[in-house]
Amino acid sequence: MPDRPLSLQNQVALVTGASSGIGRQAAYSLAEAGASVVINYIGSRDPAEEVVQKIEEQGGQAMAVEADVSNEAQVDAMFTRACERFGTLHILVNNAGIEKDKAFTEMTLAEWQEVIDVNLTGQFLCSRAAIREFLRRGEQPDISRATGKIVCISSVHQRIPWARHANYAASKGGVMLLVQTLAQEFASRRIRVNAVAPGAIKTAINRAAWATEEALDKLLKMIPYGRVGDAADVGNAIVWLCCDASDYVTGTTLVVDGGMTLYPSFSTGEG
């Protein structure tokens, strides 16, 4: 068993959507804890290679693999490449996700399906591939108390309805029950499955929500803790859920939101 409960030394992690935002920080945080990291991306390779380079400059190991997480063949090929390079896999972070907001009556089937395909089906495909590898390899108690760990990136909108985002909210509600079901099904095999549900996090994809003073003031009204989160807040939560310090935790969602899900409009007790 590892001497340091927060160490991921000698473990291999795969992070989907890891070339930017929360996924990028998750890759850095996992590498800092000692894991070798597979950087999944789609589209331009340069940002993914920048992540690899930074990890390697810090003495870690990483590789970039392009794959559309909603494509079964590409997902399977990605996991094959990861295991060919590093021998096996211990950690999966299901981070890849998209938003396509639209008034419900105007939302097309294609806009609904694309979000479900990436945000929910993608997590199914990657989780299935990871669990198959965990079971094939079996336990390695000298490396990790758990046979394998999966962290699914959800959202506070697995709990909070979000008008004009029916596809996104439905996908994240699905992620919540996917996590709980997989945790239940594979707990006896010592595979832990959990989720992180971020609230408002400063990333490029939501820059409009915090980049101006007016937008920031509006956003902070929904965050009792008084600040917008950054990607490192989520990265730290992911590392904890992947290490032996959280070995008794499975089937839960760790909400990282500064209190957004506390319904701050009721904080005066006068609602």
Side-chain angles (χ1 to χ4, degrees), residues 108-229:
T108 66
L109 177 58
E111 290 166 335
W112 168 270
Q113 194 67 58
E114 185 177 1
V115 172
I116 298 297
D117 284 348
V118 174
N119 294 10
L120 184 55
T121 303
Q123 297 212 16
F124 155 71
L125 290 171
C126 291
S127 296
R128 186 182 66 178
I131 290 171
R132 285 173 173 173
E133 172 57 20
F134 300 157
L135 295 175
R136 182 205 66 78
R137 170 179 38 79
E139 296 184 25
Q140 291 182 317
D142 57 324
I143 292 177
S144 172
R145 296 182 69 181
T147 304
K149 288 89 57 150
I150 296 176
V151 177
C152 296
I153 304 304
S154 184
S155 165
V156 292
H157 295 293
Q158 71 174 40
R159 292 175 54 184
I160 301 175
W162 199 10
R164 299 182 61 89
H165 295 79
N167 46 8
Y168 184 85
S171 73
K172 295 304 184 179
V175 166
M176 177 181 68
L177 277 171
L178 177 65
V179 164
Q180 293 173 350
T181 300
L182 294 181
Q184 181 191 69
E185 185 169 348
F186 293 101
S188 64
R189 307 300 295 272
R190 300 191 65 82
I191 294 171
R192 298 196 292 111
V193 186
N194 293 290
V196 172
I201 306 295
K202 284 187 177 181
T203 61
I205 196 172
N206 64 359
R207 180 175 295 275
W210 52 265
T212 67
E213 185 175 344
E214 180 180 4
L216 181 61
D217 286 345
K218 181 178 179 181
L219 182 60
L220 289 176
K221 287 182 172 64
M222 297 186 286
I223 306 173
Y225 199 61
R227 72 170 175 89
V228 180

Side-chain angles (χ1 to χ4, degrees), residues 20-30 95 153 196 198-204 206 210 227-239 256:
S20 64
I22 288 173
R24 186 185 187 101
Q25 181 59 54
Y28 291 149
S29 297
L30 291 165
N95 169 74
I153 304 304
V196 172
I201 306 295
K202 284 187 177 181
T203 61
N206 64 359
W210 52 265
R227 72 170 175 89
V228 180
D230 56 48
D233 293 314
V234 183
N236 291 336
I238 291 169
V239 169
V256 182

Side-chain angles (χ1 to χ4, degrees), residues 35-100:
S36 300
V37 187
V38 180
I39 309 299
N40 163 253
Y41 71 98
I42 191 168
S44 174
R45 186 175 180 86
D46 289 347
E49 288 293 351
E50 289 174 6
V51 179
V52 171
Q53 182 178 352
K54 183 172 180 179
I55 290 172
E56 291 179 340
E57 287 173 350
Q58 299 299 315
Q61 296 188 78
M63 67 179 294
V65 181
E66 182 174 17
D68 176 352
V69 298
S70 69
N71 183 295
E72 182 176 20
Q74 291 185 32
V75 167
D76 289 343
M78 172 174 64
F79 277 80
T80 296
R81 287 190 59 192
C83 292
E84 287 174 348
R85 167 71 185 275
F86 292 115
T88 188
L89 187 77
H90 303 89
I91 296 163
L92 167 67
V93 179
N94 274 319
N95 169 74
I98 60 173
E99 293 180 23
K100 286 190 175 293

